[in-house]
Amino acid sequence: MDQFSLLYLSLACGLVALLYALYRTSWVKKQPLENGELTRISGHIQEGAMAFLGREFRALIPVILVVVVALLLANQGFMRFQALAYLLGACASGLAGYIGMRVATTANARTTEAANKGGLNAALSVAFAGGSVMGMTVVGLALVGLFLIFFFSLRLVPEVSAEVLEASIMPMGTAFSLGASTVALFSRVGGGIFTKAADVAADLVGKVEAGIPEDDPRNPAVIADNVGDNVGDVAGMGADLFESYVGSIVGSMILALNVPTETFELKIILLCLPLIISAVGVLASIIGSFMVRVKDDGHPQKALNRGSFSAAILAIIFVIVCFSLLVKDQTFGANGEFAKWHLVGATVVGLVAGVLVGQITEYYTGVGHKPVNSIVKASETGAATNIISGISVGMNSTFPVVLVIAAAVVGSFAICGMYGIGIASTGMLITLGIQLAVDAYGPIADNAGGLAEMAGFPESVRNITDKLDAVGNTTAAIGKGFAIGSAALTSIILFASFEAAAGISVAEITNPHILAFIFVGAVIPFLFSALTMNAVGKSAFEMINEVRRQFREDKGILEGTSQPDYKRCVDISTKSALKEMILPAFIALLAPVLVGFAGGKEMLLGLLAGATLSGVCLSIFMSNAGGAWDNAKKTIEGDEKLKANKDSHDAAVVGDTVGDPFKDTSGPSLNILIKLMSMVSLVIVRFL
């Protein structure tokens, strides 16, 4: 075994994750699907989702090729492999989204069928199995991709040294991560615009104007709405967390290069620890997934929590065992400042911070909690007070989440310096396999409920899918909180990596150039959010007019005697999303390049600091406000007495439609914006 044999553990666990995803895919496909109408409608959803993803990828290919050519022209010799690393990262991210969404659109109808024939546990098993394919594909492709990048780049040099590590790990790792970030941004923004344009139109015209139920097959936008759940919340979220996962590992490895060690072998151990933490987390996630079971009179949330918490506990046990075998009694740092238990402590800090962020998010967005109930109460006096209350809840939620992130940063730094923050960010994502499975379960359950309504299944089936969907709303909100927390820590370590790579030892905040670009950086998330919100507004405007036109010109649609033109609505969402996603994406890609080459490293440092701070806070606010609005509407719709007050219900629907682009387009996209800007900066820093 050579000094890099530790890399093989990441390869082995990555392959195990992919094999598990393959097994789950095969199991989902074997589940019975016998209802003809259910098969037909779900086929429309899968066809629309895959068509959108194909067109999105075709629109993205020219952007990827431009970056590949730029990296080839800017580099010489060995460094030209940076272009290959970038391409591999983009392909891995895109493939993860494709596989996850393909299986999700296969699992949705089978979840409905399972609810009809097998009850709650059968339906939960199918929905969660579909989600687990997304989770395991993301971590599997990430670990295998990183192994390939580092293994072959280190094999291409005649002798490995500390200088060679720095010259290969940073450029190759950051290029791979940049490729993932590029696809993630387009997937998140494009998918978010698609899904919310359809959702807003379906709610405003269907529920408020026409007075028909959610997911009613008479609504022309209903298929587009269900397609959007998959392209936004499955493919988009998968690409988002793929990027965070890769970014945290690569950032931690870059920080490891700056930690003084007594021997080169100890440097290798520090370098590989982020990969080891992630690898054992895969095994813990797989074991935890087998614990997701529920009785027919039980609660799905408890089953999902049992799987997640079991995986987290197992992951810590595995980390302790691995660190005991690998690190033993060695110390690290110039004066032996930290050792094995310090590293375990930093991992636990990140994991606990992730759990706390999720719990805070659940409190502010969950059904039955005080914040959501306050919005329900405010709805009694109309849409204006509903919106004011929702904005207040979102702003309030920002404070405790930021405190947790700050505590994680300070705590992990106190334990083992900047490297500790990197280990904490990796620890927060250690059980990403099951966390993402829980999150991707939500859209599958949501689609299953819609399919039950459209295919005319009995009320008992809809009761089961509604129970799954209600939990899915909470898991989706927690998933977004989890993504925000991980993005914050990942951005901090990428920021620190840029500072080290740029050779900036001290940055004076009072320096007018730095201070000016802190302000410029802080406003970029607002500009980005304005563009994505406006994109949803324009797309929804066109969709609303189309739904109204169909209702107006074909009276048989609402009477149930003729079929709506679903494909027209899907086509509107697709074209709008592909057109409107371009400008926000280019702002993220070009802002660091323009500032870096025009103003230099210090101005770019200011830009990153401002964008990171405002981006994290704005993302928390928008995501939680949107989640709270959504569950306020669900609370009213789940209570016949509250729903009987039409004005209150209409106000809640309006609030939810405002919150839709908050929580599913702009808010989540900001996670990728701040990471992508840091990653672009790391790639170009050698040329500044």
Side-chain angles (χ1 to χ4, degrees):
M1 292 180 69
D2 62 23
Q3 57 193 348
F4 292 104
S5 58
L6 291 176
L7 288 174
Y8 290 106
L9 179 59
S10 69
L11 174 64
C13 289
L15 291 175
V16 167
L18 293 176
L19 288 173
Y20 181 75
L22 184 63
Y23 156 72
R24 283 297 205 180
T25 300
S26 175
W27 184 85
V28 167
K29 288 183 176 180
K30 288 178 182 177
Q31 300 312 298
L33 181 59
E34 299 169 358
N35 184 288
E37 183 67 4
L38 185 63
T39 303
R40 184 186 69 81
I41 299 171
S42 66
H44 286 314
I45 294 173
Q46 185 172 71
E47 181 186 359
M50 302 315 297
F52 171 77
L53 203 61
R55 289 172 68 172
E56 184 179 61
F57 286 165
R58 287 195 293 274
L60 186 52
I61 286 172
V63 178
I64 293 173
L65 292 179
V66 167
V67 178
V68 167
V69 171
L71 290 172
L72 285 172
L73 295 176
N75 291 299
Q76 294 181 343
F78 167 77
M79 293 307 297
R80 286 189 169 178
F81 283 100
Q82 211 178 13
L84 183 60
Y86 171 84
L87 186 60
L88 182 60
C91 291
S93 180
L95 184 61
Y98 175 86
I99 293 172
M101 196 173 75
R102 183 87 186 181
V103 176
T105 53
T106 300
N108 53 12
R110 288 167 172 80
T111 300
T112 308
E113 192 83 75
N116 184 42
K117 294 186 175 180
L120 181 62
N121 185 58
L124 173 65
S125 297
V126 176
F128 181 74
S132 67
V133 173
M134 178 82 263
M136 293 303 164
T137 301
V138 163
V139 296
L141 288 174
L143 290 175
V144 171
L146 287 170
F147 168 81
L148 293 174
I149 290 298
F150 297 135
F151 181 81
F152 286 107
S153 63
L154 293 172
R155 290 297 181 193
L156 289 171
V157 295
E159 183 179 354
V160 178
S161 63
E163 292 74 19
V164 167
L165 287 178
E166 187 170 356
S168 61
I169 293 295
M170 194 186 84
M172 299 306 162
T174 52
F176 182 85
S177 190
L178 179 61
S181 298
T182 305
V183 172
L185 185 66
F186 279 89
S187 295
R188 243 325 180 187
V189 174
I193 294 170
F194 183 107
T195 182
K196 291 306 106 181
D199 199 358
V200 168
D203 278 354
L204 287 181
V205 185
K207 283 185 179 181
V208 177
E209 294 182 9
I212 58 178
E214 187 170 4
D215 297 319
D216 193 299
R218 292 173 293 174
N219 194 326
V222 71
I223 295 294
D225 188 10
N226 281 276
V227 168
D229 289 337
N230 292 286
V231 300
D233 292 337
V234 178
M237 176 62 85
D240 182 356
L241 286 171
F242 181 96
E243 180 223 21
S244 279
Y245 193 66
V246 169
S248 66
I249 295 171
V250 170
S252 300
M253 294 177 80
I254 293 172
L255 292 176
L257 298 173
N258 299 315
V259 178
T261 55
E262 292 182 5
T263 65
F264 185 64
E265 287 69 23
L266 292 181
K267 178 77 75 176
I268 299 299
I269 291 175
L270 279 186
L271 193 70
C272 292
L273 281 182
L275 282 169
I276 302 303
I277 292 170
S278 303
V280 299
V282 169
L283 302 180
S285 295
I286 291 174
I287 296 172
S289 69
F290 287 106
M291 300 181 185
V292 179
R293 294 180 178 275
V294 65
K295 296 180 180 179
D296 283 337
D297 59 349
H299 200 286
Q301 185 69 62
K302 292 182 179 179
L304 296 170
N305 287 343
R306 182 167 58 250
S308 298
F309 290 135
S310 298
I313 293 169
L314 285 171
I316 292 301
I317 294 172
F318 291 165
V319 165
I320 292 172
V321 171
C322 281
F323 283 15
S324 297
L325 294 173
L326 295 174
V327 180
K328 298 180 182 178
D329 297 321
Q330 294 102 325
T331 59
F332 305 91
N335 301 303
E337 293 93 347
F338 61 93
K340 172 177 62 182
W341 293 110
H342 295 89
L343 294 166
V344 172
T347 307
V348 172
V349 165
L351 183 59
V352 170
V355 171
L356 288 176
V357 169
Q359 294 304 305
I360 292 169
T361 303
E362 182 180 0
Y363 170 74
Y364 279 98
T365 63
V367 172
H369 294 301
K370 185 178 178 181
V372 169
N373 287 342
S374 70
I375 301 175
V376 172
K377 182 69 175 175
S379 301
E380 295 176 6
T381 51
T385 47
N386 170 286
I387 292 171
I388 291 169
S389 182
I391 290 173
S392 173
V393 167
M395 288 181 171
N396 274 324
S397 71
T398 305
F399 182 69
V401 173
V402 168
L403 283 184
V404 169
I405 293 170
V409 171
V410 173
S412 55
F413 181 81
I415 293 171
C416 32
M418 288 303 302
Y419 184 66
I421 300 176
I423 292 296
S425 73
T426 308
M428 184 178 281
L429 295 167
I430 190 171
T431 57
L432 179 62
I434 193 168
Q435 292 289 351
L436 189 49
V438 169
D439 189 68
Y441 144 92
I444 295 173
D446 189 5
N447 268 205
L451 287 167
E453 177 77 26
M454 287 184 279
F457 275 77
E459 188 177 349
S460 59
V461 175
R462 187 66 204 236
N463 288 338
I464 292 173
T465 57
D466 282 350
K467 200 170 185 179
L468 295 175
D469 186 24
V471 174
N473 285 332
T474 302
T475 61
I478 292 173
K480 290 181 177 69
F482 181 73
I484 293 165
S486 65
L489 284 186
T490 301
S491 297
I492 289 168
I493 62 172
L494 293 175
F495 180 79
S497 300
F498 170 79
E499 188 179 32
I504 300 174
S505 56
V506 178
E508 291 288 344
I509 195 171
T510 54
N511 181 325
H513 297 100
I514 294 178
L515 186 60
F517 277 86
I518 288 177
F519 279 105
V520 174
V523 84
I524 284 181
F526 287 88
L527 174 62
F528 180 88
S529 298
L531 290 170
T532 51
M533 292 280 288
N534 189 51
V536 171
K538 288 195 291 187
S539 302
F541 178 83
E542 189 175 353
M543 182 77 77
I544 287 169
N545 284 333
E546 172 61 22
V547 175
R548 285 173 176 167
R549 181 194 67 79
Q550 291 195 34
F551 283 160
R552 184 176 61 251
E553 295 180 4
D554 187 350
K555 303 297 183 183
I557 292 176
L558 287 175
E559 294 170 359
T561 58
S562 61
Q563 189 90 342
D565 186 355
Y566 298 125
K567 287 188 176 181
R568 173 62 182 154
C569 290
V570 172
D571 191 53
I572 288 172
S573 266
T574 300
K575 289 180 178 178
S576 296
L578 296 178
K579 176 184 176 183
E580 300 294 340
M581 72 180 184
I582 300 298
L583 184 56
F586 273 101
I587 286 176
L589 287 167
L590 295 179
V593 175
L594 295 175
V595 172
F597 283 103
K601 299 176 183 178
E602 290 191 339
M603 285 187 181
L604 183 52
L605 187 73
L607 184 85
L608 296 180
T612 300
L613 291 173
S614 75
V616 167
C617 295
L618 189 59
S619 181
I620 297 167
F621 156 63
M622 298 183 85
S623 295
N624 288 348
W629 271 316
D630 189 2
N631 275 335
K633 182 195 72 173
K634 288 287 194 300
T635 300
I636 291 174
E637 291 179 343
D639 187 311
E640 290 300 325
K641 185 178 178 181
L642 292 173
K643 191 176 180 181
N645 184 342
K646 187 177 185 304
D647 291 339
S648 179
H649 181 229
D650 288 352
V653 172
V654 171
D656 179 43
T657 55
V658 173
D660 277 336
F662 268 49
K663 67 181 175 65
D664 290 326
T665 308
S666 300
S669 298
L670 288 172
N671 301 336
I672 307 169
L673 171 76
I674 57 178
K675 290 176 291 184
L676 180 59
M677 289 177 65
S678 294
M679 203 59 70
V680 170
S681 302
L682 273 171
V683 169
I684 67 171
V685 68
R686 294 183 300 112
F687 307 106
L688 300 181

